[in-house]
Amino acid sequence: MKEDTRIVNAGREPEENSGIVNPPIYRASTVTFPSVEILESFDKNPFDGVFYGRHGTPTTFALEEAIAELEGGDRGIAMASGLAAITVSLLAFLKSGDHALIADCVYGPTRHFCDQVLKRYGVETTYYDPLIGDGIEPLLKANTKVVFVESPGSLTFEVQDIPAIAKVAHAKGAVVILDNSWATPLYFKPFAHGVDVSIQAATKYIVGHADAMLGVITTQEQHYMTIRKTAANIGACSAPEECFLALRGLRTLSIRLERHCATAMKLCEWLKGQDEVEHILYPALTEDAGHAIWKRDFTGAPGLFSFVLKKTPKKAVVAMLDHMKLFAMGYSWGGYESLILPFYPKQLRTATDWSGGTSIRIHAGLEDADDLIQDLDEGFKRMNAAL
Ligand SMILES: *Cc1c(COP(=O)(O)O)cnc(C)c1O
């Protein structure tokens, strides 16, 4: 089956649900059993079948199966948020005395979890240059259990050489955990590139409508129980409504991403001609520093990118952003609506120097590209008027 056919069919069994096209929302806490024998059979493996609401219902399982299939992994585990998927994955492989290598470009809350929680439990973290490739080898210590990659990086979009990093990590016995939210399961196939655990902030493109929080962990059979048991032990789970919304969003992911990307490309072409812009951070552009590896490993790009402004006083940036008509300011991304966000890369990293100044992240939504360009154009005019 080709990808667009799989995305329509993955995780769906209408014949098991009266012919209903979408997996229904099964809500549950209690699940009842007709005999002691069946009740006690779950003692051996409470994760195989419908046992208790916290471990998932058929709605959850449908989403887990669909994402695992699309990512090319064996098993999916749905979590209440993308961040929960990240923290449960890290906790599954780390214990007191261990060491983790984390890409310097990771999503901010991933960094906070390492610095504020893992540290408290005696796990040491080292941040590394995301562009390090197989040069990561000397950073791996005898107690390094996890190498965490995020490619391209949150906000700054460095493309990591994941196969090279994975090769070195595996030789030293560490697992590679990837935050694959940008590429989605469609544009980067983690398990074909040496990744052991892949995370989706399904909140973003998979849900696609800015109205649900959800994360999915995907892995191979070999690591499944380690992660599943960790999630169960700390009570991490996901809600069936959110899984339903993610399944619904998933069916249109492919066509939405095409449009997000086409619009992002148009915005980039226009931004390239603007004096205010120092440079653009978007691996799909041929001139981007990460383009070669992106082209080698990815099959597409969504509509999320950043650009670095030439030196501009904050009040001028504020004058631009405070009055945008179509680009709303807010966290998250991946919905149908365009978003804009200022950020300051220098403040977000500890292992790499970042010389560029104030930067702006754009999520190109599904609006008309010309309208979006006009909104940006008026924004730059306000910026210049405030100089
Ligand atoms: C938003 C985001 C997350 C976290 O997802 P939530 O569902 O908001 O918890 C993780 N990684 C990346 C790259 C993100 O952008």
Side-chain angles (χ1 to χ4, degrees):
M1 255 191 258
K2 295 263 195 331
E3 190 93 311
D4 279 349
T5 312
R6 285 202 292 160
I7 206 169
V8 165
N9 289 292
R12 280 196 320 118
E13 323 252 5
E15 56 284 8
E16 287 183 13
N17 292 300
S18 311
I20 293 165
V21 171
N22 290 323
I25 301 176
Y26 284 98
R27 302 178 49 85
S29 55
T30 303
V31 176
T32 56
F33 308 102
S35 70
V36 171
E37 192 192 344
I38 295 173
L39 176 81
E40 291 181 352
S41 71
F42 278 100
D43 288 351
K44 277 192 251 85
N45 182 6
F47 312 116
D48 208 2
V50 187
F51 168 64
Y52 184 54
R54 199 172 56 228
H55 298 335
T57 72
T59 318
T60 330
F61 303 152
L63 176 71
E64 292 174 341
E65 191 186 311
I67 301 295
E69 181 182 335
L70 292 165
E71 290 227 68
D74 294 328
R75 296 291 204 120
I77 306 171
M79 293 284 103
S81 68
L83 184 60
I86 292 167
T87 60
V88 164
S89 299
L90 287 169
L91 288 173
F93 293 99
L94 293 164
K95 63 177 189 314
S96 172
D98 285 346
H99 173 242
L101 283 167
I102 312 279
D104 205 26
C105 59
V106 285
Y107 178 62
T110 303
R111 182 181 277 268
H112 300 154
F113 178 74
C114 294
D115 296 347
Q116 293 168 20
V117 180
L118 289 183
K119 189 173 176 207
R120 214 149 41 78
Y121 289 88
V123 176
E124 187 203 349
T125 299
T126 304
Y127 294 97
Y128 66 89
D129 179 347
L131 301 178
I132 202 166
D134 60 8
I136 200 167
E137 184 157 17
L139 299 183
L140 280 137
K141 309 197 247 184
N143 62 341
T144 306
K145 297 291 163 57
V146 166
V147 177
F148 194 97
V149 291
E150 182 177 319
S151 181
S154 258
L155 298 167
T156 44
F157 300 94
E158 297 92 335
V159 182
Q160 296 198 252
D161 191 342
I162 293 177
I165 291 173
K167 200 166 163 214
V168 176
H170 291 158
K172 300 261 182 133
V175 297
V176 177
I177 304 179
L178 163 71
D179 185 331
N180 197 27
S181 305
W182 182 85
T184 82
L186 297 190
Y187 290 165
F188 183 78
K189 299 297 178 187
F191 303 100
H193 292 89
V195 169
D196 300 295
V197 179
S198 177
I199 284 141
Q200 286 294 331
T203 305
K204 310 290 167 59
Y205 279 119
I206 294 175
V207 164
H209 295 71
D211 53 6
M213 300 294 304
L214 199 71
V216 182
I217 304 165
T218 307
T219 190
Q220 309 286 47
E221 207 60 58
Q222 173 196 3
H223 297 300
Y224 170 66
M225 271 302 177
T226 308
I227 304 170
R228 176 61 89 181
K229 281 183 182 163
T230 303
N233 283 337
I234 63 176
C237 57
S238 59
E241 282 84 353
E242 312 297 84
C243 293
F244 175 87
L245 289 170
L247 280 162
R248 166 188 277 228
L250 185 65
R251 308 306 172 194
T252 57
L253 181 63
S254 175
I255 54 163
R256 282 188 287 114
L257 288 183
E258 275 176 31
R259 174 67 178 273
H260 284 298
C261 181
T263 299
M265 281 296 199
K266 282 186 191 164
L267 298 186
C268 286
E269 283 311 314
W270 182 82
L271 285 165
K272 278 185 210 171
Q274 304 310 304
D275 285 341
E276 297 81 0
V277 177
E278 176 80 44
H279 66 280
I280 300 173
L281 308 168
Y282 188 41
L285 298 177
T286 49
E287 65 272 31
D288 189 90
H291 184 73
I293 294 181
W294 172 78
K295 209 165 166 168
R296 183 192 71 187
D297 293 348
F298 292 68
T299 54
L304 189 76
F305 67 95
S306 294
F307 61 88
V308 183
L309 286 170
K310 287 191 182 141
K311 206 166 163 45
T312 313
K314 179 138 186 191
K315 72 170 186 359
V317 180
V318 170
M320 173 186 186
L321 297 179
D322 274 357
H323 304 283
M324 302 298 290
K325 291 195 187 79
L326 300 175
F327 285 93
M329 255 186 299
Y331 290 99
S332 201
W333 39 271
Y336 52 82
E337 82 294 8
S338 287
L339 294 170
I340 195 161
L341 194 74
F343 67 99
Y344 314 93
K346 235 182 166 64
Q347 300 171 7
L348 304 170
R349 44 188 71 226
T350 51
T352 39
D353 279 335
W354 185 274
S355 54
T358 303
S359 304
I360 290 184
R361 187 181 70 187
I362 296 266
H363 175 248
L366 303 179
E367 303 90 339
D368 183 277
D370 292 335
D371 288 339
L372 293 173
I373 288 170
Q374 191 185 338
D375 203 22
L376 289 172
D377 191 34
E378 287 166 10
F380 282 140
K381 288 196 173 106
R382 283 192 302 278
M383 181 189 279
N384 290 322
L387 284 175

